[in-house]
Structure formats: C-alpha cells, structure tokens
Amino acid sequence: MGLTKQYLRYTASALFGVIASQKGNIIYVALRGEKGRYVAVPACEHVFIWDTRKGEKVLILQGLKQEVTSLCPSPDGLHLAVGYEDGSIRVFSLLSGEGNVTFNGHKAAVMTLQYDHLGGRLVSGSKDTDVIVWDVINESGLYRLRGHKDAVTQALFLREKNLLVTSGKDTLVKWWDLDTQHCFKTLVGHRTEVWGLTFVSQEKRLITGAADSELRVWNITYIQEQATDPNEPESKKSKGSPAKAEQTSEVDEASDLDETPEERLLRCNKAGSIMREGRDRVVTLATDRTGRILACHGTDSVLEVFCVLTEDEICKKMEKKMRKGKKKTKQKSEEEEEEPEGSVEMSLQEEIQRVTSIKASAKIKSFDLILSPKGELKATLLLQNNTIESYILTPSAQVPQVVRASKITIGGHRSDVRTLAFSSDNIAILSAAAESVKIWNRSTLQCIRTMACEYALCSLFVPGDRQVIIGTKTGKLQLYDLASGSLLETLAAHDGALWSISLSPDQRGFVTGGADKCVKFWEFELVKDENGTQKRLSMKQTRILQLDEDVLCVRYSPNQKLLAISLLDCTVKIFYTDTLKFFLSLYGHKLPVLCMDISYDGALIATGSADRNVKIWGLDFGDCHRSLFAHDDSVMTLQFVHKSHLFFTAGKDHKIKQWDADKFEHIQTLEGHHQEVWCLALSPSGDYIVSSSHDKSLRLWERTREPLILEEEREMQREAEYEESVAKEDQPVVAGETQGETGLAGKKTIETVKAAERIMEAIELYREETAKLKEHQAICKAAGKEVPLPVNPILQAYGNISPSVYVLEVFKKVKSSELEESLLVLPFSYVPDLLVLFNEHIQRGSEVELLCRALLFLLRIHFGRITSNQLLVTVIENLKKTTISKVSEVRNVLGFNMAGLQFLRREIEAKDEVTFFADATDRFEEKRRKRKKKEKLVLAMV
C-alpha cells in the first residue's frame, strides 16, 4: 500500500473588523451595575457588548453558526435572549457569558423577541409567520400561535393583562388572549405592512408604524375596567381629565350601537395619526423603558423623537386652555354665554409632542433609548456603515440640544473590504475598502493604522513592509508610509479601474492591469523628498503592454519569465516578460476569469471564473489538466499555498474551499461567512488565511497540526446533510388534533431524535434486565441457593443503580425544551413500560414535577390507545391516586417555603428599616443629586 498524502486542517481562529451586523437590533444592557453605558449588538453569529464610553469590546457571547437576527434583555438585566437566522433562540447569562438555554421552534429567522414584565415568559415572532410563547424558568415551550399570513414584525405582552399583541407584514395587528390561546381581535386599519408597534400612556394607547409616513394611534379601553359599581357616586365615575371622560363617553356610545363578541376583553378605536418627517417606511418604532419617550426612524439617517405627556401634564394643559378660553369669551362680549368646560379638547399632536430629530452620520438600522432619573435621554444608534453612535439630549428643555456622546468606528471599515494582503513576516494584515486602508496586528487583532484612501481594489506590501501600495477604482496608484500613516505619492496609472497588481519575484518592481486595456510595468526608485534632504521611495513606469480587452487579473510566474493576463473575453493570455511576446492562450471558461494564481514551481496555473468553475492548466503547453465545479456562484479569489500545489478559492456562495491541484480533489470547506466572500490572502508561511466578506467581517483561519483524512471529512459532510434533512422533514402530528390557531411550541430536530433514541435504548435495557432478573430468580429457585447475577456494565458505570433508576437518569438528561418533541417521536410500544416506571418513581416521590409533565403529555398524544388498552387500566388507576397525592405534597412544601421566605423578608425589613432588595443605584443617584444642589447653593452664597 502506497503512502497517502497528508493534509492539515484549517480552523476558524478569530472574527474581527465587524463592529455590528445589520440584521439584528442594538440594545442597552446593564453590566457591572451600570445602565446606559454598555450596548449589545449582533456581530455575525456572535453578540458583542461594547463600552460606549471607552469604545472597547468588554464581552463576547459566542454563537454557533447562524447569524444573529434579534436581541432582547431580560427585565432583571441578568440575561439576554438572542434569536438566530435558523429560528433558534438562546438565552445567555450576562454574568458568565454562557448560553445555557436553547429553544428550537421556528423554521425561519427570528424577527422579534420580547419578555413579559416579570421575565418568566418570552415571546418570539418569526419569518415563518408563527408566534411562540416560551417558559424561560422551566426552559420549555408553552404554545405556538398561528394566524399571521406573513412574517411577524413585533410582539408585545401587556403588563396588567394576560394578553399579547402582534404585528406582521400581512398588514394585520392581532390581539391574543393567552388564557384561551386564541386571537380575539384583529385590527385591519392598515393598507401596508405593519413594521412596528408600541404601547404608551400606561398601555391605554397603541401606536403602530407602517410603510407610509403616518404613525397611527389607537385608544384601548378594557371592558373589565368599564364595569363600575352602580352604587358609586357620579362624581367619582367622572373623576379624571375631561379628555378621558369624553373618550370613555364616546366609547360607551359606540358600545351601545354594536357590541361584537370579540369586544369582551377590550375595545381598540383609532384616535388619529401623527405625521413623520420621513416619507419611507418605519424601520424601528420603540419607546424607552418608562414609555415616556417615543422614537422612530425610516430607511434614512434621521431619528425622530417624541415625548408622551402624562395624565397630570394633560390635566394642567387642559386647565391652562380653559382659563385662556374664559378670558377670550370675557373679552369678546359680556352678553355672550360662556362656553362649557367640556368643549376644550386636547389634540393628539399636543398629547404626543415632537421633541427633536437626531441626524446620524449614516443610515440608521436600529436604535435603543434609556431615560435617566435626571430626565436626560440617551440614544444609541446602530448604523448601516458598521458604526455605533450615542447621543444625549434633554427632552424637557425648551430647545433640546442633541450632543453626540461617542462613536465607535476604529474596529472596522465603513464599507466592504475589497483587498487583503499579508506582510512578509506574517504579522501585519492590510485591509482596504472604499474609504480607508487599515493595518491590523494578526496576533492581537487590533487596528494599528487607519489611512484615508480612494475606492481600493488591489494592494500589496512593498518589500521591507514599511510602505504599502493601493490600486483604486479611478485607476490611481497610492503609496503610503506605515510609520507615519501618510500618503507619500499618488500616480494616475490607468484611465479605468485598476483591477490587479502583482509584485515581481525579484522584488524590484510590480505590474498592474486595468480596465483601460493596458498592462503597465513599474519599478521602485528612491527620489528626494519635498525638502530635498532625504530620499523616499517612489515608483516609475518602465513599459506598457496594450491589449484588445479589459485586463481583470495579472500574475508573474515565480521565475519571472512569464506573465499571465486575464482578459474580459474569458481567456487568459501568457506573455514572455522580457520581450512581451505572446506565448499561450488559455481558453475554455464561459465567463471572464476573475482570479488566478501560479504555483511556486511555475508548473501549474489555476484560474477561477464567474462561470463557477476552476480550471487547472499546465504552463508548459497550456493544456487543461482538469476543470472543477468549485462554487455555487462566481469564484472571486484564488491563491496557492506557498511551497505546495494546494490552493484556496472563495466565492459568492459564502464559502472558502481548499483543493489539491495534483489529485484534483476537494480537501475541505471553511464555512463562517454569511454573505459573499470578496477576497482572501494567505500568509507567506501558509499558516494563516484572512478573508473578507459583504457581511463586513474579516475572518482569520489558522493551520492546525491535526491531520485531515478525506474519507472522514466526506463522512462528516454526509452526517451534516442528514441532520439538515431531519430538521426539514414534516413535523410529527398529534393524533386527533387539527391544525388550528395553536400548536406545540417545539419542532423536530436531530437533538430531539437523539433524545428519543436514548430513551428507547434505556427502556430496552430495562426490559432486558428485568427478563434476566426473572430468569435468575427461576435458576436460584431451581438450584436452591443464591447464584451471583452478572452486572450490566452500563449500570455499573452509573454506580450499580437499578434499571428503573437508569431510565429516570436518562429522562433527567433530556433538555427541558426538547422533552415534548422527544416523547412525540417515541413509538407507542415503549409507552406502557414508561407508564409503569412513572408510577414506580412517583410513588417514591422522585422527580414528581418532571414525570407528571411527561405523563400528562403522553396521555394527551396517546389518549385513544391508552384508554383502549385493558392492561393499562390498573396502571392508570394507580397513577391517578399517586400523582394527585404526590403533587399536593409538592405544592404544600412549596407553599410552606414561600410563606417562610416571606416571613424572613418581613423580619429583615423590620430589623433594618429598609426595603429589601431596593435598587441601591437609584438611592445613590438621589443622594448625589442632593449633594450637587447643596454645592450649587454654597457657591451661589459665596
């Protein structure tokens, strides 16, 4: 057997260059006891937490593969719910940075997440049109709500009522009663997609934003609140603001006319509209935590801020208006009658006042607000150009002044990186985009230089790594000095875009190719600087090669004898470097060759094209050795690994692939980027790869010492494909249940299938062991003496436990969020044994809550078959007795413990004369405010 070729695996090492991704939303998080300082943003598959004051990254919540699409902090500020592109949700602890809870229920990206006011429940809305309510404490799904016909854009819990309101791209706003889990009201007053909604005025008003410049305001009247005591005096009934009294009277009149069955819980009537300045659709509509400040933005760079008046402020305004009205009537004429008090009305624009508009430096993608106790509003904006900006204003001021507090920009480019290069010592990485060139330290991933440039398309480090050359879209060559970060020289090299640059192997010059159908040869030279005292590096043109088509890519052969030029006519022309005579033409691609590279020994040239193919050619005769279907979209970049015939390609299909040019085999795929990969660069040693993508991220890949075996790689690929197919299969259906408004929260995944298999294996082991035990007892009885029973190695590993306890241990290891789905795919033949085991364990009082939950679910899905089975009648009867008694015991213990904790709380409060668990930070702020007032008084007196 011959020696097999050994490959080494490349793995993802780091993600950098991205400040915040565009798909998710930005939120304030409470960290280290501070509010309004730290913000959480999506960063591809991770979540970054930034310190806005210092501009530093303080925490990374590690994701898996899918891109983050939604974020929501818990009310206590200790957890962060993160929604992903594949529909999964993970709950992270902000103290440890670990994601312990995972929910799988949606089939498409999570669009919105929201906690209830206690933080016990979480609602998620998705592109798959479903809304799912999750129990965060029990780590399980409660139910799925169906009704929307398009993606769900927003979902909100009501604070006082057990109701939920959702909006969707199907133009509908739906109200859900969570007690009965059905939609009891649908608002159909929108003609376009509803992109956002929020509550104001203590949930008595709903504001919705659609695809026009109108914010619609809806009055909410709760029917239970309206039912008043008949013995109550009229004065008490009509107590409150005149506006509210008139509003309720209008609603009463409406209810007398027609009361539909759906209006038993609440009524929702349109109160009016607030016009926005923007003409396009609402992207984000939200309030701060208090509901006092309302803000919204469209697809432009303006954030519009509104202030919602409280009831006291409305009353004061009304009184002021009435006084003004009385004065006017007196001035008009004493004979005219006075207008009644009730005729003075507050317009919607007066109740919801426009404060100001915040103009950001680029288009806004998302925002979050926080109102401090002092009345200072902090707004943080996630911009489209990979930037985070924070603004401060005081809404109560006569003319609110918007001040930009901070801006996080250094950690990434404003636009896509189109060219990358490694320094000769493998330490520095160059990345260039439309507005700047950045130099990064590979080991620390810190940006050490930022230099303004024109739209960069290609780049290289000058030998010595002290200068860099950039080729731009306007055809210019820009020479930068890294020590000073200054632009040394700009040359107009080409009349069109300068697509490609290649350093000559003798390192004395380079060659460029552009859209002006020219290939130009350049040499480095030393010239005197402006002062004439010192010499600096410059470049001069030596030769020019005129061609018939636009030049897309140029490459020198390692011995500098040949020059390969890719043209727009889909061919690659090979010329002799010294005489510029034509040598070979490589034709076969159906679309232009976008990238190519020549191997270290000059024997092979590999070309990557927009036709998705990579062709490997011999440079001696120009024959095509092999054509490989490389990517599902255009091949954007190709580079050989130093001192080998292995090469990497990257394409618009988001993937980077490694190939063997001798055996024509695909070695491995590096997956990580979420959008088109524009370029990659290999370090001279071949140990590192850096790649850039349309998702604004730069990724570093490192060569490990782990050998890669192709057969194993193919097997892992097949397993991954199988797992994907399992997730896409039809979901199991509960017998007797129709596809109505509600359904099970979870979905079938590879994890639930594996959990069901583990339960089945445990029951099989239990059956075998019980059969063995019966045989052993029969043998002992026949022999008349005790014969030793061989112990099962699995049970021995668990500490010689009994088979029934082993089944319970397997059950306990099933994730709470996956329990129902695991039981749903479990065949009925295993259910009778499970019921017997449940009865045994519940009688002992072990894991009563878990087993009762599983028991009730099994009874629900297999009700018909269990009730028709005569053998299970006695088991069910026993279960009925044991479950009722044991559950009541557990409830009694819980009640006793709660009463004990409340007693201890009262004792501590009485002893210390302080409110237990009070917010210490609020008290500290109050003290500091008083101290500052004192200091001002002292200064005034002085």
Side-chain angles (χ1 to χ4, degrees):
M1 183 182 172
L3 284 171
T4 57
K5 193 167 182 179
Q6 192 181 50
Y7 305 106
L8 294 176
R9 186 183 296 279
Y10 282 83
T11 57
S13 174
L15 167 75
F16 63 106
V18 61
I19 294 169
S21 296
Q22 311 304 309
K23 280 199 174 177
N25 57 310
I26 188 170
I27 52 163
Y28 276 111
V29 290
L31 206 66
R32 300 169 185 172
E34 285 194 61
K35 291 179 181 176
R37 179 173 175 178
Y38 300 100
V39 293
V41 292
C44 296
E45 67 271 23
H46 305 310
V47 175
F48 289 169
I49 295 178
W50 292 91
D51 182 344
T52 54
R53 202 174 295 168
K54 292 182 179 177
E56 292 175 358
K57 206 183 298 173
V58 292
L59 186 64
I60 298 174
L61 306 178
Q62 297 283 343
L64 299 172
K65 282 184 180 178
Q66 299 295 328
E67 203 170 0
V68 175
T69 55
S70 184
L71 299 175
C72 181
S74 63
D76 59 7
L78 298 176
H79 297 91
L80 183 68
V82 183
Y84 292 91
E85 186 78 34
D86 63 344
S88 63
I89 300 162
R90 292 178 75 195
V91 180
F92 288 88
S93 166
L94 288 174
L95 300 174
S96 63
E98 293 177 1
N100 300 321
V101 183
T102 304
F103 297 126
N104 282 304
H106 292 292
K107 294 176 186 173
V110 178
M111 297 277 283
T112 178
L113 288 170
Q114 195 70 39
Y115 278 96
D116 67 355
H117 71 286
L118 294 172
R121 290 179 301 175
L122 177 72
V123 64
S124 61
S126 167
K127 278 186 179 176
D128 64 3
T129 74
D130 288 349
V131 177
I132 301 179
V133 180
W134 307 92
D135 185 345
V136 180
I137 297 161
N138 195 32
E139 299 178 11
S140 63
L142 293 175
Y143 36 80
R144 183 188 300 266
L145 303 171
R146 303 187 188 96
H148 283 286
K149 299 289 186 285
D150 207 336
V152 179
T153 54
Q154 186 63 281
L156 296 172
F157 284 106
L158 268 76
R159 193 178 178 85
E160 302 298 330
K161 311 282 180 185
N162 193 23
L163 303 177
L164 179 75
V165 60
T166 60
S167 64
K169 285 168 74 175
D170 56 359
T171 76
L172 302 177
V173 174
K174 286 183 172 285
W175 293 81
W176 305 84
D177 182 1
L178 298 183
D179 292 326
T180 56
Q181 295 149 36
H182 82 287
C183 175
F184 66 90
K185 190 173 187 63
T186 302
L187 297 183
V188 291
H190 303 88
R191 294 183 181 181
T192 53
E193 302 97 331
V194 183
W195 288 99
L197 54 84
T198 187
F199 287 111
V200 293
S201 306
Q202 297 174 348
E203 296 182 349
K204 300 223 171 118
R205 275 212 168 121
L206 177 72
I207 299 177
T208 57
D212 51 20
S213 58
E214 204 177 323
L215 292 180
R216 291 166 178 82
V217 184
W218 308 79
N219 284 331
I220 303 165
T221 312
Y222 301 103
I223 307 299
Q224 291 90 335
E225 286 180 6
Q226 246 190 355
T228 52
D229 186 13
N231 300 323
E232 194 180 354
E234 285 294 321
S235 59
K236 267 194 179 181
K237 281 186 190 179
S238 60
K239 194 175 180 180
S241 66
K244 191 190 275 188
E246 189 171 335
Q247 181 186 318
T248 50
S249 66
E250 282 175 13
V251 172
D252 286 341
E253 284 171 22
S255 64
D256 291 340
L257 291 170
D258 58 337
E259 184 170 340
T260 57
E262 67 175 19
E263 291 187 333
R264 287 174 188 163
L265 295 170
L266 58 84
R267 294 193 189 93
C268 194
N269 307 311
K270 191 175 178 183
S273 296
I274 302 165
M275 300 308 292
R276 298 190 299 116
E277 288 176 356
R279 296 287 176 193
D280 44 11
R281 75 172 181 88
V282 171
V283 175
T284 317
L285 171 70
T287 60
D288 70 313
R289 309 281 192 277
T290 61
R292 183 106 167 85
I293 303 296
L294 170 75
C296 67
H297 72 89
T299 54
D300 53 7
S301 58
V302 178
L303 178 72
E304 297 177 49
V305 183
F306 301 87
C307 182
V308 183
L309 298 186
T310 60
E311 285 187 13
D312 295 338
E313 288 170 336
I314 290 170
C315 285
K316 283 178 187 174
K317 279 219 166 196
M318 290 286 287
E319 285 170 13
K320 201 173 179 182
K321 257 194 166 187
M322 285 159 83
R323 281 199 297 271
K324 278 186 182 176
K326 282 177 184 178
K327 280 181 186 176
K328 279 181 184 177
T329 50
K330 279 180 183 178
Q331 284 170 6
K332 268 188 178 181
S333 174
E334 290 178 2
E335 293 175 6
E336 287 181 13
E337 288 183 13
E338 235 180 64
E339 284 187 20
E341 291 182 9
S343 63
V344 179
E345 286 185 10
M346 284 282 284
S347 69
L348 198 62
Q349 280 70 21
E350 287 174 316
E351 290 184 38
I352 302 170
Q353 296 179 341
R354 184 183 296 276
V355 177
T356 187
S357 293
I358 299 173
K359 183 82 170 75
S361 61
K363 288 183 179 179
I364 304 169
K365 294 301 288 182
S366 171
F367 73 92
D368 198 16
L369 306 172
I370 192 162
L371 191 65
S372 68
K374 297 177 187 176
E376 189 181 68
L377 179 70
K378 288 183 181 177
T380 183
L381 312 179
L382 167 58
L383 306 183
Q384 201 172 29
N385 65 349
N386 199 24
T387 308
I388 297 169
E389 288 184 347
S390 295
Y391 292 87
I392 294 174
L393 68 138
T394 308
S396 56
Q398 287 289 329
V399 183
Q401 294 294 320
V402 178
V403 180
R404 191 168 75 192
S406 64
K407 189 176 183 181
I408 302 171
T409 57
I410 294 174
H413 287 275
R414 307 286 72 77
S415 55
D416 294 359
V417 172
R418 298 308 297 258
T419 176
L420 290 163
F422 257 105
S423 62
S424 59
D425 56 4
N426 308 302
I427 290 174
I429 298 169
L430 178 150
S431 65
E435 81 299 324
S436 65
V437 181
K438 286 181 182 283
I439 308 295
W440 308 81
N441 185 312
R442 179 190 51 75
S443 53
T444 62
L445 301 175
Q446 294 298 312
C447 177
I448 52 179
R449 277 284 178 278
T450 301
M451 299 163 286
C453 74
E454 294 185 27
Y455 200 118
L457 293 176
C458 54
S459 61
L460 61 81
F461 273 93
V462 175
D465 297 336
R466 292 185 179 183
Q467 293 90 12
V468 294
I469 297 173
I470 303 295
T472 71
K473 199 173 183 179
T474 54
K476 291 175 183 172
L477 279 174
Q478 294 185 313
L479 177 66
Y480 291 89
D481 179 53
L482 294 186
S484 61
S486 59
L487 175 64
L488 295 177
E489 191 176 359
T490 301
L491 291 175
H494 292 266
D495 294 334
L498 202 159
W499 288 113
S500 183
I501 189 168
S502 178
L503 186 68
S504 61
D506 63 5
Q507 299 194 339
R508 291 181 180 178
F510 58 93
V511 64
T512 59
D516 58 354
K517 304 178 184 178
C518 289
V519 173
K520 294 187 179 182
F521 296 82
W522 306 81
E523 279 185 3
F524 296 118
E525 63 173 356
L526 290 171
V527 297
K528 286 187 178 180
D529 62 4
E530 292 170 358
N531 301 327
T533 54
Q534 291 180 331
K535 287 191 173 182
R536 66 165 180 84
L537 187 78
S538 181
M539 44 208 171
K540 67 171 182 179
Q541 184 184 322
T542 56
R543 292 185 295 170
I544 185 167
L545 174 63
Q546 189 68 40
L547 294 151
D548 299 330
E549 294 286 342
D550 290 12
V551 178
L552 298 178
C553 189
V554 290
R555 284 291 177 272
Y556 271 116
S557 65
N559 58 10
Q560 209 170 327
K561 284 186 177 179
L562 300 173
L563 179 69
I565 303 168
S566 158
L567 301 175
L568 199 61
D569 62 0
C570 312
T571 64
V572 176
K573 300 277 195 292
I574 313 291
F575 292 87
Y576 289 105
T577 309
D578 49 1
T579 60
L580 296 184
K581 284 186 176 178
F582 176 73
F583 172 49
L584 290 170
S585 179
L586 312 178
Y587 54 89
H589 283 290
K590 293 174 184 174
L591 289 169
V593 173
L594 303 176
C595 52
M596 62 181 174
D597 200 15
I598 299 172
S599 62
Y600 75 101
D601 55 3
L604 299 173
I605 178 170
T607 57
S609 166
D611 64 6
R612 304 179 289 179
N613 291 317
V614 167
K615 290 184 187 289
I616 300 162
W617 317 75
L619 260 183
D620 43 6
F621 302 110
D623 56 324
C624 181
H625 291 186
R626 185 64 64 93
S627 181
L628 304 167
F629 182 75
H631 291 270
D632 296 329
D633 209 330
S634 301
V635 182
M636 296 304 294
T637 181
L638 183 152
Q639 194 171 346
F640 272 99
V641 179
H642 187 58
K643 297 285 183 186
S644 76
H645 280 183
L646 306 178
F647 65 92
F648 281 91
T649 61
K652 282 187 176 179
D653 60 353
H654 316 171
K655 291 174 185 173
I656 300 167
K657 294 184 179 181
Q658 187 184 15
W659 308 83
D660 186 342
D662 291 331
K663 295 191 171 182
F664 316 118
E665 282 188 313
H666 171 221
I667 300 166
Q668 67 168 332
T669 303
L670 304 178
E671 291 185 350
H673 285 293
H674 300 287
Q675 292 188 43
E676 298 95 329
V677 183
W678 295 126
C679 55
L680 63 81
L682 268 94
S683 64
S685 64
D687 288 335
Y688 300 97
I689 307 168
V690 64
S691 57
S692 78
S693 167
H694 185 49
D695 60 15
K696 300 284 195 301
S697 69
L698 299 174
R699 287 177 188 265
L700 188 67
W701 313 83
E702 190 175 353
R703 183 162 60 188
T704 61
R705 300 294 136 222
E706 179 194 347
L708 187 146
I709 298 148
L710 292 179
E711 287 75 18
E712 286 182 8
E713 198 69 15
R714 303 290 176 268
E715 185 62 35
M716 285 165 63
Q717 200 175 340
R718 281 194 291 271
E719 280 178 14
E721 285 172 5
Y722 167 70
E723 288 180 9
E724 276 184 28
S725 66
V726 164
K728 287 175 183 174
E729 282 177 9
D730 292 335
Q731 298 298 312
V733 181
V734 179
E737 286 199 4
T738 55
Q739 187 89 356
E741 275 189 336
T742 59
L744 293 174
K747 71 169 183 179
K748 182 182 174 185
T749 61
I750 193 68
E751 283 80 16
T752 59
V753 172
K754 285 177 180 176
E757 285 172 358
R758 286 196 297 273
I759 294 168
M760 286 154 64
E761 285 167 10
I763 295 168
E764 290 284 355
L765 187 141
Y766 166 75
R767 286 173 178 171
E768 287 171 14
E769 290 300 311
T770 47
K772 277 183 192 175
L773 189 64
K774 283 178 184 175
E775 282 179 28
H776 179 257
Q777 285 171 351
I779 290 164
C780 290
K781 198 173 182 182
K785 61 177 182 178
E786 193 68 33
V787 179
L789 178 70
V791 183
N792 190 298
I794 297 172
L795 300 177
Q796 200 168 5
Y798 276 82
N800 285 333
I801 57 172
S802 66
S804 61
V805 176
Y806 173 68
V807 176
L808 181 63
E809 287 297 318
V810 170
F811 237 90
K812 281 158 70 176
K813 284 181 182 175
V814 177
K815 284 184 183 177
S816 182
S817 57
E818 295 169 0
L819 183 63
E820 277 86 359
E821 286 298 321
S822 302
L823 292 172
L824 197 57
V825 297
L826 195 74
F828 181 75
S829 56
Y830 294 93
V831 173
D833 293 308
L834 266 182
L835 294 177
V836 172
L837 289 166
F838 284 175
N839 189 27
E840 184 184 324
H841 289 301
I842 291 170
Q843 274 180 344
R844 291 179 195 159
S846 53
E847 298 294 333
V848 175
E849 192 180 344
L850 172 70
L851 295 179
C852 283
R853 181 181 155 197
L855 169 66
L856 292 172
F857 185 75
L858 285 172
L859 288 172
R860 178 182 158 193
I861 60 173
H862 297 298
F863 180 76
R865 297 182 74 177
I866 289 170
T867 49
S868 61
N869 193 331
Q870 292 298 318
L871 300 171
L872 293 174
V873 173
T874 53
V875 178
I876 296 296
E877 283 295 324
N878 293 335
L879 275 168
K880 185 182 173 184
K881 292 172 191 171
T882 51
T883 47
I884 291 168
S885 62
K886 290 296 174 183
V887 168
S888 60
E889 277 179 32
V890 172
R891 285 180 68 183
N892 291 340
V893 171
L894 281 171
F896 180 81
N897 290 342
M898 284 291 289
L901 287 168
Q902 285 167 0
F903 173 75
L904 287 170
R905 175 185 167 181
R906 286 194 297 271
E907 287 285 305
I908 293 166
E909 281 181 2
K911 191 189 287 182
D912 297 346
E913 294 180 351
V914 294
T915 307
F916 199 48
F917 296 136
D919 197 345
T921 52
D922 288 354
R923 291 206 305 274
F924 177 74
E925 285 285 331
E926 191 67 34
K927 281 180 185 175
R928 197 166 69 178
R929 211 159 49 244
K930 283 179 182 175
R931 191 167 64 247
K932 279 189 178 176
K933 271 187 185 176
K934 262 188 189 177
E935 285 169 4
K936 281 180 185 175
L937 282 168
V938 170
L939 286 168
M941 286 169 73
V942 170

